[in-house]
Amino acid sequence: LVEMIGETFRKPKAGEGRWWTLPEIHELLKSRFTNYDAKTTYTKLGRALSDQQFGFESDRTTSGHIYRLVEKED
């Protein structure tokens, strides 16, 4: 899961990127990787996104966590 995230997203530089919700991230990973487990919980996905190696900025909203990310090109 951490490898898939690392291949799909990078930490944004100043002034770039957008806020992604966990459902958006889940759907993108599911569409990009045939071996992505569609039953992956948002909790597990959030823990992987919080991995220190990424240093992704996150925030909590009333509807859940969001992450500031840049999608890498295929």
Side-chain angles (χ1 to χ4, degrees):
L1 184 57
V2 170
E3 287 177 14
M4 290 178 199
I5 292 168
E7 289 179 24
T8 306
F9 298 104
R10 67 173 174 78
K11 185 177 178 178
K13 296 174 185 157
E16 70 175 358
R18 73 173 183 89
W19 290 103
W20 291 72
T21 64
L22 287 171
E24 289 173 324
I25 296 166
H26 174 80
E27 286 303 315
L28 182 61
L29 293 176
K30 192 166 76 170
S31 70
R32 275 198 177 193
F33 297 96
T34 56
N35 60 336
Y36 178 75
D37 184 359
K39 296 177 185 169
T40 300
T41 65
Y42 292 155
T43 302
K44 185 175 180 180
L45 184 55
R47 283 191 188 124
L49 286 159
S50 297
D51 192 300
Q52 288 182 338
Q53 75 179 9
F54 298 129
F56 293 146
E57 181 183 357
S58 65
D59 199 3
R60 186 179 184 115
T61 66
T62 55
S63 58
H65 282 86
I66 54 175
Y67 297 84
R68 189 156 189 82
L69 309 168
V70 172
E71 182 180 352
K72 292 180 178 177
E73 300 297 322
D74 283 337

